[in-house]
Coordinates of all heavy atoms in Angstrom, one line a residue:
Y1 N 0.8 -1.2 0.0 CA 0.0 0.0 0.0 C 0.8 1.3 0.0 O 0.6 2.2 -0.8 CB -0.9 0.0 1.2 CG -2.1 -0.9 1.1 CD1 -2.1 -2.2 1.7 CD2 -3.2 -0.5 0.5 CE1 -3.1 -3.0 1.6 CE2 -4.3 -1.3 0.4 CZ -4.3 -2.6 1.0 OH -5.4 -3.4 0.9
G2 N 1.8 1.3 0.9 CA 2.6 2.5 1.1 C 3.4 2.9 -0.1 O 3.5 4.1 -0.4
Q3 N 3.9 2.0 -0.8 CA 4.7 2.3 -2.0 C 3.9 2.7 -3.2 O 4.4 3.2 -4.2 CB 5.6 1.1 -2.4 CG 6.7 0.8 -1.3 CD 7.5 -0.4 -1.7 OE1 7.2 -1.2 -2.6 NE2 8.7 -0.5 -1.1
N4 N 2.6 2.6 -3.1 CA 1.7 2.9 -4.2 C 0.9 4.1 -3.8 O -0.2 4.4 -4.4 CB 0.8 1.7 -4.5 CG 1.6 0.6 -5.1 OD1 2.5 0.8 -6.0 ND2 1.4 -0.6 -4.6
G5 N 1.3 4.9 -2.8 CA 0.6 6.1 -2.5 C -0.6 6.0 -1.6 O -1.4 6.8 -1.5
H6 N -0.7 4.8 -1.0 CA -1.8 4.5 -0.1 C -1.4 4.4 1.3 O -1.7 3.4 2.1 CB -2.5 3.2 -0.6 CG -3.1 3.3 -1.9 ND1 -4.2 4.0 -2.3 CD2 -2.6 2.7 -3.1 CE1 -4.4 3.9 -3.6 NE2 -3.4 3.1 -4.1
G7 N -0.5 5.3 1.8 CA 0.0 5.3 3.1 C -1.0 5.3 4.2 O -0.9 4.6 5.2
K8 N -2.1 6.1 4.0 CA -3.2 6.2 5.0 C -3.9 4.8 5.1 O -4.2 4.4 6.2 CB -4.2 7.3 4.6 CG -5.2 7.5 5.7 CD -6.1 8.7 5.4 CE -7.2 8.8 6.5 NZ -8.1 9.9 6.2
A9 N -4.1 4.2 4.0 CA -4.7 2.8 4.1 C -3.8 1.8 4.8 O -4.3 1.0 5.6 CB -5.0 2.3 2.7
A10 N -2.5 1.9 4.6 CA -1.5 1.1 5.3 C -1.6 1.3 6.8 O -1.6 0.3 7.6 CB -0.1 1.3 4.8
L11 N -1.7 2.6 7.2 CA -1.8 2.8 8.7 C -3.1 2.3 9.2 O -3.2 1.8 10.3 CB -1.7 4.4 8.9 CG -0.4 5.0 8.5 CD1 -0.5 6.5 8.9 CD2 0.8 4.3 9.2
E12 N -4.2 2.4 8.5 CA -5.5 1.9 8.9 C -5.5 0.4 9.1 O -6.0 -0.1 10.1 CB -6.6 2.4 7.9 CG -6.9 3.8 8.0 CD -7.8 4.3 6.9 OE1 -8.2 3.5 6.0 OE2 -8.2 5.5 6.8
L13 N -4.9 -0.3 8.1 CA -4.7 -1.7 8.2 C -3.9 -2.1 9.4 O -4.2 -3.1 10.1 CB -4.2 -2.3 7.0 CG -5.1 -2.3 5.8 CD1 -4.3 -2.8 4.5 CD2 -6.3 -3.3 6.0
F14 N -2.8 -1.4 9.7 CA -2.0 -1.7 10.8 C -2.8 -1.5 12.1 O -2.7 -2.3 13.0 CB -0.8 -0.7 10.8 CG 0.3 -1.1 11.9 CD1 1.1 -2.1 11.7 CD2 0.4 -0.3 13.0 CE1 2.1 -2.4 12.7 CE2 1.3 -0.6 14.0 CZ 2.2 -1.7 13.8
Q15 N -3.5 -0.4 12.2 CA -4.3 -0.2 13.4 C -5.4 -1.3 13.6 O -5.6 -1.7 14.7 CB -5.0 1.2 13.4 CG -4.1 2.3 13.6 CD -3.4 2.2 15.0 OE1 -4.0 1.9 16.0 NE2 -2.1 2.5 15.0
Q16 N -6.0 -1.7 12.5 CA -7.0 -2.8 12.6 C -6.3 -4.1 13.1 O -6.9 -4.8 13.9 CB -7.6 -3.0 11.2 CG -8.7 -4.1 11.2 CD -9.9 -3.7 12.1 OE1 -10.3 -2.5 12.0 NE2 -10.3 -4.6 12.9
M17 N -5.1 -4.3 12.6 CA -4.3 -5.5 13.0 C -4.1 -5.5 14.5 O -4.4 -6.5 15.2 CB -3.0 -5.5 12.3 CG -2.1 -6.7 12.7 SD -0.5 -6.6 11.8 CE 0.4 -5.6 13.0
L18 N -3.7 -4.3 15.1 CA -3.5 -4.1 16.5 C -4.8 -4.3 17.3 O -4.9 -5.0 18.3 CB -2.9 -2.8 16.8 CG -1.5 -2.5 16.3 CD1 -1.2 -1.0 16.6 CD2 -0.5 -3.5 16.9
Q19 N -5.9 -3.8 16.8 CA -7.2 -3.9 17.4 C -7.7 -5.4 17.4 O -8.4 -5.8 18.4 CB -8.3 -3.0 16.7 CG -8.0 -1.6 17.0 CD -9.0 -0.7 16.1 OE1 -9.8 -1.2 15.4 NE2 -8.8 0.6 16.3
D20 N -7.3 -6.1 16.4 CA -7.7 -7.5 16.4 C -6.8 -8.4 17.2 O -7.0 -9.6 17.2 CB -7.7 -8.0 14.9 CG -8.8 -7.4 14.1 OD1 -9.8 -6.9 14.7 OD2 -8.7 -7.5 12.8
G21 N -5.8 -7.8 17.9 CA -5.0 -8.6 18.8 C -3.7 -9.2 18.1 O -3.1 -10.0 18.7
V22 N -3.5 -8.8 16.9 CA -2.3 -9.4 16.2 C -1.1 -8.6 16.7 O -1.1 -7.4 16.6 CB -2.5 -9.3 14.7 CG1 -1.2 -9.8 14.0 CG2 -3.7 -10.1 14.2
R23 N -0.1 -9.3 17.1 CA 1.1 -8.6 17.6 C 2.1 -8.3 16.4 O 2.5 -9.2 15.7 CB 1.9 -9.5 18.6 CG 1.1 -9.6 19.9 CD 1.8 -10.3 20.9 NE 3.2 -9.7 21.1 CZ 4.0 -10.0 22.0 NH1 3.8 -10.9 22.9 NH2 5.2 -9.4 22.0
P24 N 2.4 -7.0 16.2 CA 3.4 -6.7 15.2 C 4.8 -7.3 15.5 O 5.1 -7.4 16.6 CB 3.3 -5.2 15.1 CG 3.0 -4.8 16.5 CD 2.1 -5.9 17.0
D25 N 5.5 -7.6 14.4 CA 6.9 -7.9 14.6 C 7.8 -6.9 13.9 O 7.3 -5.9 13.5 CB 7.1 -9.4 14.0 CG 6.8 -9.5 12.5 OD1 6.6 -8.4 11.8 OD2 6.8 -10.6 12.0
S26 N 9.1 -7.2 13.9 CA 10.0 -6.3 13.3 C 9.7 -5.9 11.9 O 9.8 -4.7 11.5 CB 11.4 -6.9 13.4 OG 12.4 -6.1 12.8
I27 N 9.3 -6.9 11.1 CA 9.0 -6.6 9.7 C 7.7 -5.8 9.5 O 7.6 -5.0 8.6 CB 8.8 -8.0 8.9 CG1 10.1 -8.8 9.0 CG2 8.4 -7.7 7.5 CD1 11.3 -8.1 8.5
S28 N 6.8 -6.0 10.4 CA 5.6 -5.1 10.4 C 5.9 -3.7 10.5 O 5.4 -2.8 9.8 CB 4.6 -5.5 11.6 OG 4.2 -6.8 11.5
F29 N 6.9 -3.4 11.4 CA 7.3 -2.0 11.6 C 8.1 -1.4 10.4 O 8.0 -0.3 10.1 CB 8.0 -1.8 12.9 CG 7.0 -1.7 14.0 CD1 6.7 -2.7 14.9 CD2 6.4 -0.4 14.3 CE1 5.8 -2.6 15.9 CE2 5.5 -0.3 15.3 CZ 5.1 -1.4 16.1
V30 N 8.9 -2.3 9.8 CA 9.6 -1.9 8.6 C 8.6 -1.4 7.5 O 8.7 -0.4 6.9 CB 10.6 -3.0 8.0 CG1 11.1 -2.6 6.6 CG2 11.7 -3.2 9.0
T31 N 7.6 -2.3 7.4 CA 6.5 -2.0 6.4 C 5.8 -0.7 6.7 O 5.6 0.1 5.8 CB 5.5 -3.1 6.4 OG1 6.2 -4.3 6.1 CG2 4.4 -2.9 5.3
I32 N 5.4 -0.5 8.0 CA 4.6 0.7 8.3 C 5.5 2.0 8.2 O 5.1 3.0 7.8 CB 3.9 0.6 9.7 CG1 2.7 1.5 9.7 CG2 4.8 0.8 10.8 CD1 1.6 1.2 8.8
L33 N 6.8 1.9 8.6 CA 7.7 3.0 8.5 C 8.0 3.3 7.1 O 8.0 4.5 6.7 CB 9.0 2.7 9.2 CG 8.9 2.6 10.8 CD1 10.2 2.1 11.4 CD2 8.5 3.9 11.4
S34 N 8.1 2.3 6.2 CA 8.3 2.6 4.8 C 7.0 3.2 4.2 O 7.2 4.2 3.4 CB 8.5 1.2 4.1 OG 8.7 1.4 2.7
A35 N 5.8 2.8 4.6 CA 4.6 3.4 4.1 C 4.6 4.9 4.5 O 4.2 5.7 3.7 CB 3.4 2.7 4.7
C36 N 4.9 5.2 5.7 CA 5.0 6.6 6.2 C 6.0 7.4 5.3 O 5.7 8.5 4.9 CB 5.3 6.7 7.6 SG 4.0 6.1 8.7
S37 N 7.1 6.8 5.1 CA 8.2 7.5 4.3 C 7.7 7.8 2.9 O 7.8 8.9 2.4 CB 9.4 6.6 4.3 OG 10.4 7.2 3.4
H38 N 7.1 6.8 2.2 CA 6.7 7.0 0.8 C 5.5 7.9 0.7 O 5.3 8.5 -0.4 CB 6.3 5.6 0.2 CG 7.5 4.8 -0.1 ND1 8.3 5.0 -1.2 CD2 8.0 3.7 0.5 CE1 9.2 4.1 -1.3 NE2 9.1 3.3 -0.2
S39 N 4.8 8.1 1.8 CA 3.6 9.0 1.8 C 3.9 10.3 2.4 O 2.9 11.1 2.6 CB 2.4 8.3 2.5 OG 2.1 7.1 1.8
G40 N 5.1 10.6 2.9 CA 5.4 11.9 3.5 C 4.8 12.1 4.9 O 4.7 13.3 5.3
M41 N 4.5 11.1 5.6 CA 3.9 11.2 6.9 C 4.9 11.1 8.0 O 5.1 10.1 8.7 CB 2.8 10.1 7.1 CG 1.7 10.2 6.1 SD 0.3 9.1 6.3 CE 1.0 7.5 5.8
V42 N 5.6 12.2 8.1 CA 6.8 12.3 9.1 C 6.4 12.1 10.5 O 7.0 11.3 11.3 CB 7.6 13.6 8.9 CG1 8.7 13.7 9.9 CG2 8.1 13.7 7.4
D43 N 5.3 12.8 10.9 CA 4.9 12.8 12.3 C 4.4 11.3 12.7 O 4.8 10.8 13.7 CB 3.8 13.8 12.6 CG 4.3 15.2 12.6 OD1 5.5 15.4 12.7 OD2 3.5 16.1 12.3
E44 N 3.6 10.8 11.8 CA 3.1 9.4 12.0 C 4.3 8.4 12.1 O 4.3 7.6 13.0 CB 2.1 9.0 11.0 CG 0.8 9.8 11.0 CD 0.9 11.1 10.2 OE1 2.0 11.6 9.8 OE2 -0.2 11.6 9.9
G45 N 5.2 8.5 11.2 CA 6.3 7.6 11.2 C 7.2 7.7 12.4 O 7.6 6.7 13.0
S46 N 7.4 8.9 12.9 CA 8.1 9.1 14.1 C 7.4 8.5 15.3 O 8.1 7.9 16.2 CB 8.4 10.6 14.3 OG 9.1 11.1 13.3
R47 N 6.1 8.6 15.4 CA 5.3 8.0 16.5 C 5.4 6.5 16.4 O 5.6 5.9 17.5 CB 3.9 8.5 16.4 CG 3.7 9.9 17.0 CD 2.2 10.2 17.2 NE 1.4 10.3 16.0 CZ 1.2 11.4 15.3 NH1 1.8 12.5 15.7 NH2 0.5 11.3 14.2
Y48 N 5.3 5.9 15.2 CA 5.4 4.5 15.1 C 6.8 4.0 15.5 O 6.9 2.9 16.1 CB 5.0 4.0 13.7 CG 3.5 3.9 13.6 CD1 2.8 4.8 12.7 CD2 2.8 3.0 14.2 CE1 1.5 4.8 12.6 CE2 1.4 2.9 14.1 CZ 0.7 3.8 13.2 OH -0.6 3.7 13.1
F49 N 7.8 4.7 15.1 CA 9.2 4.3 15.5 C 9.4 4.3 17.0 O 10.0 3.4 17.5 CB 10.2 5.3 14.8 CG 11.6 4.9 15.1 CD1 12.2 3.9 14.3 CD2 12.3 5.6 16.0 CE1 13.5 3.6 14.6 CE2 13.7 5.3 16.2 CZ 14.3 4.3 15.5
M50 N 8.9 5.3 17.6 CA 9.0 5.4 19.1 C 8.1 4.3 19.8 O 8.6 3.6 20.7 CB 8.6 6.7 19.6 CG 9.5 7.9 19.2 SD 11.2 7.6 19.6 CE 11.2 7.7 21.3
S51 N 7.0 4.0 19.2 CA 6.0 3.0 19.8 C 6.6 1.6 19.6 O 6.3 0.7 20.5 CB 4.7 3.1 19.0 OG 3.9 2.1 19.3
M52 N 7.4 1.4 18.6 CA 8.0 0.1 18.3 C 8.7 -0.5 19.5 O 8.4 -1.6 20.0 CB 8.9 0.2 17.1 CG 9.5 -1.1 16.7 SD 10.5 -0.9 15.2 CE 11.8 0.1 15.8
S53 N 9.6 0.3 20.2 CA 10.3 -0.2 21.3 C 9.5 0.0 22.6 O 9.5 -0.8 23.5 CB 11.7 0.4 21.4 OG 11.6 1.8 21.5
R54 N 8.9 1.2 22.7 CA 8.2 1.6 24.0 C 7.0 0.7 24.2 O 6.8 0.2 25.4 CB 7.8 3.0 23.9 CG 7.1 3.5 25.1 CD 6.5 4.9 24.9 NE 5.5 4.9 23.9 CZ 5.4 5.8 22.9 NH1 6.2 6.8 22.8 NH2 4.5 5.7 22.0
D55 N 6.2 0.5 23.2 CA 4.9 -0.2 23.4 C 5.0 -1.7 23.1 O 4.1 -2.5 23.5 CB 3.8 0.5 22.6 CG 3.6 1.9 23.0 OD1 3.8 2.3 24.2 OD2 3.2 2.7 22.1
H56 N 5.9 -2.1 22.2 CA 5.9 -3.4 21.6 C 7.1 -4.2 21.9 O 7.2 -5.4 21.6 CB 5.6 -3.4 20.1 CG 4.3 -2.7 19.8 ND1 3.1 -3.4 19.9 CD2 4.0 -1.5 19.3 CE1 2.1 -2.6 19.5 NE2 2.7 -1.4 19.2
G57 N 8.1 -3.5 22.5 CA 9.3 -4.2 22.9 C 10.2 -4.7 21.8 O 11.0 -5.7 21.9
I58 N 10.1 -4.0 20.6 CA 10.9 -4.4 19.5 C 12.1 -3.5 19.3 O 11.9 -2.3 19.2 CB 10.0 -4.4 18.2 CG1 8.9 -5.4 18.3 CG2 10.8 -4.7 17.0 CD1 7.8 -5.3 17.2
A59 N 13.3 -4.1 19.3 CA 14.5 -3.3 19.2 C 14.6 -2.8 17.8 O 14.4 -3.5 16.8 CB 15.7 -4.1 19.6
S60 N 15.1 -1.6 17.7 CA 15.4 -1.0 16.3 C 16.5 -1.6 15.7 O 17.6 -1.9 16.3 CB 15.6 0.5 16.5 OG 14.6 1.2 17.1
M61 N 16.4 -1.9 14.4 CA 17.5 -2.5 13.6 C 17.8 -1.6 12.4 O 17.2 -0.6 12.2 CB 17.1 -3.9 13.2 CG 16.8 -4.8 14.3 SD 16.4 -6.6 14.0 CE 15.8 -6.6 12.4
A62 N 18.8 -2.0 11.7 CA 19.3 -1.2 10.5 C 18.2 -0.8 9.6 O 18.1 0.3 9.1 CB 20.4 -1.9 9.8
D63 N 17.3 -1.8 9.3 CA 16.2 -1.5 8.4 C 15.2 -0.4 8.9 O 14.8 0.5 8.1 CB 15.3 -2.7 8.1 CG 16.1 -3.7 7.2 OD1 17.0 -3.3 6.5 OD2 15.7 -4.9 7.2
H64 N 15.0 -0.4 10.2 CA 14.1 0.6 10.8 C 14.8 2.0 10.7 O 14.2 3.0 10.4 CB 13.8 0.3 12.3 CG 13.2 -1.0 12.4 ND1 13.8 -2.1 13.1 CD2 12.0 -1.5 12.1 CE1 13.0 -3.1 13.1 NE2 11.9 -2.8 12.4
Y65 N 16.1 2.0 11.0 CA 16.8 3.3 10.9 C 16.9 3.8 9.5 O 16.8 5.0 9.2 CB 18.2 3.1 11.5 CG 18.2 3.0 13.0 CD1 18.7 1.8 13.6 CD2 17.8 4.1 13.8 CE1 18.7 1.7 15.0 CE2 17.8 4.0 15.2 CZ 18.3 2.8 15.8 OH 18.3 2.7 17.1
G66 N 17.0 2.9 8.5 CA 17.0 3.2 7.1 C 15.7 3.9 6.7 O 15.7 4.9 6.0
C67 N 14.6 3.3 7.2 CA 13.3 3.9 7.0 C 13.2 5.3 7.5 O 12.6 6.2 6.9 CB 12.2 3.1 7.5 SG 11.9 1.5 6.6
M68 N 13.7 5.5 8.8 CA 13.7 6.8 9.4 C 14.6 7.8 8.6 O 14.2 9.0 8.5 CB 14.1 6.7 10.9 CG 13.1 6.0 11.7 SD 11.4 6.7 11.7 CE 11.7 8.3 12.4
I69 N 15.7 7.4 8.2 CA 16.5 8.3 7.3 C 15.8 8.7 6.1 O 15.8 9.9 5.8 CB 17.8 7.6 7.0 CG1 18.7 7.5 8.3 CG2 18.6 8.4 5.9 CD1 19.9 6.6 8.1
D70 N 15.1 7.8 5.4 CA 14.3 8.1 4.3 C 13.2 9.1 4.6 O 12.9 10.0 3.9 CB 13.7 6.9 3.6 CG 14.8 6.0 2.9 OD1 15.9 6.6 2.6 OD2 14.5 4.8 2.7
L71 N 12.5 8.8 5.8 CA 11.4 9.6 6.2 C 11.8 11.0 6.5 O 11.1 12.0 6.1 CB 10.8 9.0 7.5 CG 9.6 9.6 8.1 CD1 8.4 9.5 7.2 CD2 9.3 9.0 9.5
L72 N 12.9 11.2 7.2 CA 13.4 12.5 7.6 C 14.2 13.3 6.6 O 14.4 14.4 6.6 CB 14.2 12.4 8.9 CG 13.4 11.9 10.1 CD1 14.3 11.6 11.3 CD2 12.2 12.8 10.5
G73 N 14.7 12.5 5.6 CA 15.7 13.0 4.6 C 15.0 13.7 3.5 O 15.3 14.6 2.8

């Protein structure tokens, strides 16, 4: 979704996944951060990046940082 200009839809699907009790993994966050980057959603991407470790206990890896560089760059 995110790479095709549907970043908002990607965020909505991610939120639905969370509401349905599905636990995101590292790849889920790479996907959502990439969607934010491709859609220019800097604030949302930053919030998801912080939430990744704070709320979900997922350590940031090189792919996550790469997405953040793209998002902020």
Side-chain angles (χ1 to χ4, degrees):
Y1 284 95
Q3 292 181 341
N4 295 314
H6 301 286
K8 186 175 179 181
L11 296 183
E12 290 170 359
L13 287 172
F14 187 78
Q15 286 301 316
Q16 184 63 47
M17 181 182 87
L18 295 176
Q19 290 173 0
D20 289 345
V22 177
R23 291 185 52 170
D25 60 11
S26 177
I27 301 302
S28 301
F29 278 98
V30 169
T31 303
I32 203 67
L33 293 172
S34 179
C36 289
S37 175
H38 286 283
S39 300
M41 296 186 289
V42 176
D43 292 337
E44 292 87 344
S46 297
R47 281 194 294 271
Y48 280 109
F49 182 77
M50 296 303 294
S51 171
M52 184 175 67
S53 61
R54 181 188 63 224
D55 301 329
H56 301 283
I58 298 172
S60 302
M61 298 183 339
D63 288 341
H64 302 113
Y65 288 115
C67 289
M68 290 305 293
I69 290 168
D70 288 342
L71 180 69
L72 299 171

